Amino acid sequence: AAEPARLVDGQRGPGPLVLPTIVFAQFAGTSLWFAPNAVVAQIEGFGGSELSILTSLVQVGFVAGTFLLSVFGVTDRVSAPILFGVMSLIGAGCNALCLASNNFVFWAVMRTLVGVCLAGIYPVGMRVAASQYPSGLGARLGVLVGALCLGTAFPWLVRGSTTQGLPYAATLAAVSGLACLGGIALPAVVLPRGTHAAAFWAFLQCSNPREGTTPPKKLEVGGAALREILSEAGFRAAALGYFGHMWE
């Protein structure tokens, strides 16, 4: 069997299973994004208005989650593969809990939490890929974005996998199960063999087991910090471009 990746201070490159695993995990995790959109017509009492609110709340949760991860420097404080796995499992759980009730408020809360968890899936998966492939990253990120597109469309494929259409409970359960698989697979393959327990324990202690790293200070949010961040021309161009993409 191929040995999982081991990348420490650039001395050893990722193994052959790493990129396919990251792609699969990204596909699996992002399948949570629009799961209700594929099944809302099957749920009694839910219609277009409810779907619009649920879709928006996922985006609100995603924005809130990415903001908090950035402000507190979470991906620098803990192992990114472990963070990806934990958020995938929590997101899958929140998605599955929607099966417990057809109460719209309950769904709204669960889907907002799914959005928060997606902040630890989509961008953190990109972070994992970037750390594993410091060169030749562009083409690999393109594959990851393709996995994102396929993942967000996956619930429709599941629902339409039979001529009668699967019940919404089966679709949501399948999506949650897939997200769990991705959340387990990524840290299992990406982290060096024998380090998984230590990495998870360090995650619980909010520390990063990487050698020679110092946890960052919490980001100071304010006018001065924003001016400093936006003073970087390259970052400013990338951020504005991505803002346009996300707005669209």
mmCIF file of all heavy atoms in Angstrom, residues 66 76 78 82 92 99 101 154 168:
data_model
loop_
_atom_site.group_PDB
_atom_site.id
_atom_site.type_symbol
_atom_site.label_atom_id
_atom_site.label_comp_id
_atom_site.label_asym_id
_atom_site.label_seq_id
_atom_site.Cartn_x
_atom_site.Cartn_y
_atom_site.Cartn_z
ATOM 1 N N THR A 66 -15.949 31.651 8.400
ATOM 2 C CA THR A 66 -14.658 32.055 7.843
ATOM 3 C C THR A 66 -14.100 33.272 8.574
ATOM 4 O O THR A 66 -12.893 33.376 8.795
ATOM 5 C CB THR A 66 -14.782 32.361 6.341
ATOM 6 O OG1 THR A 66 -15.854 33.288 6.127
ATOM 7 C CG2 THR A 66 -15.066 31.103 5.546
ATOM 8 N N ASP A 76 -3.857 28.248 11.831
ATOM 9 C CA ASP A 76 -2.454 28.299 12.234
ATOM 10 C C ASP A 76 -2.251 27.733 13.633
ATOM 11 O O ASP A 76 -1.134 27.396 14.017
ATOM 12 C CB ASP A 76 -1.939 29.742 12.189
ATOM 13 C CG ASP A 76 -1.879 30.279 10.776
ATOM 14 O OD1 ASP A 76 -1.422 29.537 9.884
ATOM 15 O OD2 ASP A 76 -2.282 31.432 10.551
ATOM 16 N N VAL A 78 -4.115 25.058 14.933
ATOM 17 C CA VAL A 78 -4.402 23.626 15.002
ATOM 18 C C VAL A 78 -4.072 22.983 13.660
ATOM 19 O O VAL A 78 -3.844 23.665 12.661
ATOM 20 C CB VAL A 78 -5.880 23.360 15.355
ATOM 21 C CG1 VAL A 78 -6.237 23.994 16.696
ATOM 22 C CG2 VAL A 78 -6.814 23.877 14.266
ATOM 23 N N ILE A 82 -7.004 17.884 10.685
ATOM 24 C CA ILE A 82 -7.901 17.519 11.780
ATOM 25 C C ILE A 82 -9.092 18.465 11.824
ATOM 26 O O ILE A 82 -10.240 18.042 12.022
ATOM 27 C CB ILE A 82 -7.157 17.535 13.122
ATOM 28 C CG1 ILE A 82 -6.077 16.443 13.147
ATOM 29 C CG2 ILE A 82 -8.122 17.342 14.294
ATOM 30 C CD1 ILE A 82 -6.604 15.030 13.139
ATOM 31 N N ALA A 92 -21.932 17.083 8.959
ATOM 32 C CA ALA A 92 -22.745 15.923 8.599
ATOM 33 C C ALA A 92 -23.791 15.644 9.673
ATOM 34 O O ALA A 92 -24.939 15.302 9.366
ATOM 35 C CB ALA A 92 -21.843 14.707 8.407
ATOM 36 N N LEU A 99 -33.373 15.481 9.922
ATOM 37 C CA LEU A 99 -34.337 14.392 9.784
ATOM 38 C C LEU A 99 -35.194 14.221 11.028
ATOM 39 O O LEU A 99 -36.229 13.556 10.983
ATOM 40 C CB LEU A 99 -33.592 13.078 9.505
ATOM 41 C CG LEU A 99 -32.784 13.020 8.208
ATOM 42 C CD1 LEU A 99 -32.004 11.727 8.132
ATOM 43 C CD2 LEU A 99 -33.691 13.178 7.000
ATOM 44 N N SER A 101 -36.876 16.484 12.630
ATOM 45 C CA SER A 101 -38.035 17.373 12.729
ATOM 46 C C SER A 101 -38.252 18.104 11.412
ATOM 47 O O SER A 101 -37.290 18.389 10.685
ATOM 48 C CB SER A 101 -37.815 18.389 13.862
ATOM 49 O OG SER A 101 -38.838 19.362 13.861
ATOM 50 N N PHE A 154 -24.209 17.092 -5.964
ATOM 51 C CA PHE A 154 -24.382 15.678 -5.661
ATOM 52 C C PHE A 154 -25.759 15.327 -5.084
ATOM 53 O O PHE A 154 -26.309 14.270 -5.428
ATOM 54 C CB PHE A 154 -23.272 15.216 -4.712
ATOM 55 C CG PHE A 154 -23.317 13.761 -4.382
ATOM 56 C CD1 PHE A 154 -22.981 12.811 -5.339
ATOM 57 C CD2 PHE A 154 -23.703 13.326 -3.125
ATOM 58 C CE1 PHE A 154 -23.023 11.459 -5.047
ATOM 59 C CE2 PHE A 154 -23.746 11.976 -2.827
ATOM 60 C CZ PHE A 154 -23.403 11.037 -3.783
ATOM 61 N N TYR A 168 -36.696 12.147 0.734
ATOM 62 C CA TYR A 168 -35.742 13.174 1.161
ATOM 63 C C TYR A 168 -34.879 12.699 2.324
ATOM 64 O O TYR A 168 -33.709 13.082 2.439
ATOM 65 C CB TYR A 168 -36.467 14.478 1.508
ATOM 66 C CG TYR A 168 -37.100 14.544 2.874
ATOM 67 C CD1 TYR A 168 -36.374 15.015 3.964
ATOM 68 C CD2 TYR A 168 -38.420 14.150 3.079
ATOM 69 C CE1 TYR A 168 -36.951 15.099 5.222
ATOM 70 C CE2 TYR A 168 -39.001 14.226 4.326
ATOM 71 C CZ TYR A 168 -38.264 14.703 5.405
ATOM 72 O OH TYR A 168 -38.829 14.783 6.637
#
